[in-house]
Amino acid sequence: GIHNVYIHPSGTCDETDSMELGQTSGATYTIREEDAGSDIYFACQIPGHCDAGQILEVSVAPAAEPTPAPDGGLVGGFCFSGNTIVDVFGKGPTSISDLRIGDRVKTNNNEYDIVYSFGHYNPSQIGEFLQITITTNKNHKSTIIEMSKDHLLLVPGGRYVPASALA
Protein backbone atom coordinates (compact mmCIF):
# COMPACT_ATOMS: atom_id res chain seq x y z
CA GLY A 1 0.00 0.00 0.00
CA ILE A 2 0.84 3.66 0.03
CA HIS A 3 2.63 5.05 3.10
CA ASN A 4 4.43 8.20 4.20
CA VAL A 5 6.60 9.03 7.21
CA TYR A 6 6.22 11.98 9.58
CA ILE A 7 7.64 12.84 12.99
CA HIS A 8 4.81 13.42 15.46
CA PRO A 9 6.08 15.58 18.37
CA SER A 10 2.87 14.86 20.32
CA GLY A 11 3.72 11.17 20.61
CA THR A 12 0.20 10.40 19.37
CA CYS A 13 -1.59 10.33 16.03
CA ASP A 14 -2.27 14.09 16.40
CA GLU A 15 -0.70 15.70 13.31
CA THR A 16 -0.14 19.12 14.95
CA ASP A 17 3.43 20.37 14.31
CA SER A 18 4.32 17.12 12.52
CA MET A 19 7.36 17.13 10.24
CA GLU A 20 7.40 15.29 6.93
CA LEU A 21 10.33 12.92 6.38
CA GLY A 22 9.12 11.40 3.13
CA GLN A 23 6.17 10.39 1.00
CA THR A 24 7.30 6.76 0.92
CA SER A 25 7.99 4.24 3.68
CA GLY A 26 11.70 4.27 2.77
CA ALA A 27 12.26 7.68 4.41
CA THR A 28 15.31 8.14 6.64
CA TYR A 29 16.09 10.08 9.80
CA THR A 30 19.54 10.51 11.33
CA ILE A 31 19.61 10.47 15.14
CA ARG A 32 21.28 13.69 16.30
CA GLU A 33 23.12 14.55 19.51
CA GLU A 34 20.25 16.80 20.58
CA ASP A 35 17.89 13.79 20.33
CA ALA A 36 19.67 12.10 23.27
CA GLY A 37 17.32 11.64 26.20
CA SER A 38 14.19 12.16 24.11
CA ASP A 39 11.50 10.11 22.44
CA ILE A 40 10.91 10.46 18.70
CA TYR A 41 7.61 9.30 17.21
CA PHE A 42 7.46 8.27 13.54
CA ALA A 43 3.99 7.82 12.02
CA CYS A 44 2.18 7.24 8.75
CA GLN A 45 -0.38 9.98 8.04
CA ILE A 46 -2.37 8.10 5.41
CA PRO A 47 -5.93 8.20 6.86
CA GLY A 48 -6.46 5.42 9.40
CA HIS A 49 -2.87 4.11 9.32
CA CYS A 50 -1.58 5.73 12.52
CA ASP A 51 -4.73 4.77 14.44
CA ALA A 52 -4.20 1.20 13.21
CA GLY A 53 -0.76 1.16 14.91
CA GLN A 54 1.57 2.55 12.25
CA ILE A 55 3.41 4.73 14.76
CA LEU A 56 6.85 3.93 16.15
CA GLU A 57 8.40 5.36 19.31
CA VAL A 58 12.21 5.54 19.39
CA SER A 59 13.77 6.50 22.75
CA VAL A 60 17.32 7.80 22.37
CA ALA A 61 19.57 7.91 25.44
CA PRO A 62 23.23 7.33 26.32
CA ALA A 63 23.89 4.26 28.45
CA ALA A 64 23.12 5.03 32.09
CA GLU A 65 26.35 3.46 33.32
CA PRO A 66 29.25 1.44 31.94
CA THR A 67 28.31 -2.20 31.47
CA PRO A 68 30.41 -5.31 30.87
CA ALA A 69 31.49 -5.95 27.31
CA PRO A 70 31.47 -9.71 26.69
CA ASP A 71 33.45 -9.41 23.49
CA GLY A 72 35.64 -6.43 24.37
CA GLY A 73 39.20 -7.64 24.97
CA LEU A 74 40.75 -4.51 23.55
CA VAL A 75 39.53 -1.00 24.30
CA GLY A 76 37.45 0.02 21.30
CA GLY A 77 37.43 -3.59 20.07
CA PHE A 78 33.95 -4.51 21.28
CA CYS A 79 30.56 -3.86 19.73
CA PHE A 80 27.78 -4.83 22.14
CA SER A 81 27.27 -4.83 25.89
CA GLY A 82 26.54 -8.13 27.62
CA ASN A 83 23.13 -6.66 28.56
CA THR A 84 21.98 -6.49 24.94
CA ILE A 85 19.17 -8.94 24.20
CA VAL A 86 19.10 -10.97 20.98
CA ASP A 87 16.60 -13.51 19.64
CA VAL A 88 18.12 -17.00 19.75
CA PHE A 89 16.47 -19.82 17.82
CA GLY A 90 14.86 -22.29 20.22
CA LYS A 91 15.62 -20.08 23.27
CA GLY A 92 13.94 -16.75 22.53
CA PRO A 93 15.24 -13.46 24.00
CA THR A 94 18.77 -14.03 25.39
CA SER A 95 21.45 -11.70 26.80
CA ILE A 96 24.55 -11.56 24.63
CA SER A 97 26.51 -12.52 27.76
CA ASP A 98 24.63 -15.87 27.72
CA LEU A 99 25.30 -16.69 24.05
CA ARG A 100 27.17 -19.89 23.28
CA ILE A 101 29.06 -21.12 20.20
CA GLY A 102 26.51 -22.86 17.99
CA ASP A 103 23.54 -20.68 19.03
CA ARG A 104 21.55 -19.33 16.10
CA VAL A 105 20.88 -15.56 16.38
CA LYS A 106 18.18 -13.70 14.43
CA THR A 107 19.67 -11.15 12.05
CA ASN A 108 18.33 -8.01 10.40
CA ASN A 109 16.93 -10.04 7.48
CA ASN A 110 14.85 -12.20 9.89
CA GLU A 111 17.05 -15.26 9.35
CA TYR A 112 19.08 -17.08 12.00
CA ASP A 113 22.88 -17.15 11.69
CA ILE A 114 25.15 -19.45 13.72
CA VAL A 115 27.49 -17.98 16.34
CA TYR A 116 30.83 -19.48 15.38
CA SER A 117 33.22 -17.41 17.52
CA PHE A 118 33.59 -14.51 19.93
CA GLY A 119 36.29 -12.27 18.52
CA HIS A 120 37.25 -10.40 21.69
CA TYR A 121 35.32 -12.06 24.52
CA ASN A 122 36.20 -10.57 27.91
CA PRO A 123 33.41 -10.56 30.54
CA SER A 124 35.39 -8.31 32.90
CA GLN A 125 35.97 -5.54 30.32
CA ILE A 126 34.07 -2.33 31.14
CA GLY A 127 33.06 -0.09 28.26
CA GLU A 128 30.96 2.90 27.37
CA PHE A 129 27.94 2.26 25.18
CA LEU A 130 25.34 4.20 23.26
CA GLN A 131 21.84 3.04 24.15
CA ILE A 132 18.88 3.06 21.80
CA THR A 133 15.41 2.03 22.97
CA ILE A 134 12.92 1.07 20.29
CA THR A 135 9.26 0.79 21.25
CA THR A 136 6.46 -0.21 18.93
CA ASN A 137 3.37 1.83 19.76
CA LYS A 138 1.01 -0.96 18.72
CA ASN A 139 2.02 -3.43 21.46
CA HIS A 140 4.23 -1.16 23.62
CA LYS A 141 7.05 -3.73 23.43
CA SER A 142 10.49 -2.17 24.01
CA THR A 143 13.89 -3.33 22.86
CA ILE A 144 17.11 -1.79 24.18
CA ILE A 145 20.23 -2.02 22.08
CA GLU A 146 23.60 -1.06 23.60
CA MET A 147 26.55 -0.74 21.27
CA SER A 148 29.99 0.84 21.22
CA LYS A 149 30.43 4.13 19.41
CA ASP A 150 32.59 2.35 16.81
CA HIS A 151 30.06 -0.37 15.93
CA LEU A 152 29.15 -0.11 12.26
CA LEU A 153 25.50 0.32 11.28
CA LEU A 154 23.98 -0.09 7.85
CA VAL A 155 22.25 3.13 6.73
CA PRO A 156 20.10 3.84 3.69
CA GLY A 157 22.12 3.79 0.50
CA GLY A 158 23.99 0.65 1.57
CA ARG A 159 26.72 2.47 3.53
CA TYR A 160 28.05 1.52 6.95
CA VAL A 161 28.72 4.27 9.51
CA PRO A 162 29.93 4.17 13.15
CA ALA A 163 27.10 4.34 15.70
CA SER A 164 28.63 7.58 17.00
CA ALA A 165 27.77 9.23 13.67
CA LEU A 166 24.09 8.73 14.50
CA ALA A 167 24.25 9.81 18.13
Side-chain angles (χ1 to χ4, degrees):
I2 298 171
H3 299 282
N4 55 37
V5 182
Y6 284 78
I7 291 180
H8 281 216
S10 67
T12 68
C13 292
D14 179 0
E15 297 176 9
T16 305
D17 297 324
S18 63
M19 181 178 78
E20 180 183 334
L21 294 180
Q23 285 299 312
T24 64
S25 59
T28 61
Y29 178 79
T30 301
I31 302 294
R32 303 165 299 165
E33 188 171 334
E34 57 265 25
D35 293 329
S38 67
D39 295 330
I40 305 169
Y41 297 87
F42 300 92
C44 181
Q45 286 188 186
I46 301 296
H49 286 198
C50 185
D51 290 328
Q54 290 186 13
I55 184 168
L56 172 71
E57 176 186 7
V58 176
S59 298
V60 183
E65 59 186 66
T67 53
D71 55 343
L74 301 172
V75 175
F78 50 83
C79 288
F80 295 103
S81 115
N83 296 336
T84 298
I85 304 295
V86 294
D87 184 3
V88 177
F89 185 79
K91 293 183 182 179
T94 303
S95 296
I96 283 184
S97 61
D98 293 330
L99 281 179
R100 300 293 174 253
I101 301 297
D103 282 343
R104 295 175 60 205
V105 177
K106 194 174 203 177
T107 63
N108 64 337
N109 59 3
N110 286 323
E111 295 178 4
Y112 289 89
D113 285 344
I114 294 176
V115 175
Y116 59 88
S117 73
F118 295 102
H120 304 287
Y121 183 82
N122 184 344
S124 62
Q125 176 74 36
I126 300 296
E128 208 171 293
F129 296 91
L130 301 175
Q131 186 178 71
I132 300 172
T133 303
I134 300 171
T135 304
T136 58
N137 201 34
K138 188 173 183 178
N139 61 11
H140 301 288
K141 183 178 177 183
S142 293
T143 302
I144 297 173
I145 303 169
E146 293 182 334
M147 65 188 71
S148 69
K149 65 184 175 99
D150 297 325
H151 181 71
L152 295 178
L153 298 171
L154 179 63
V155 296
R159 296 181 310 117
Y160 287 88
V161 298
S164 59
L166 304 178

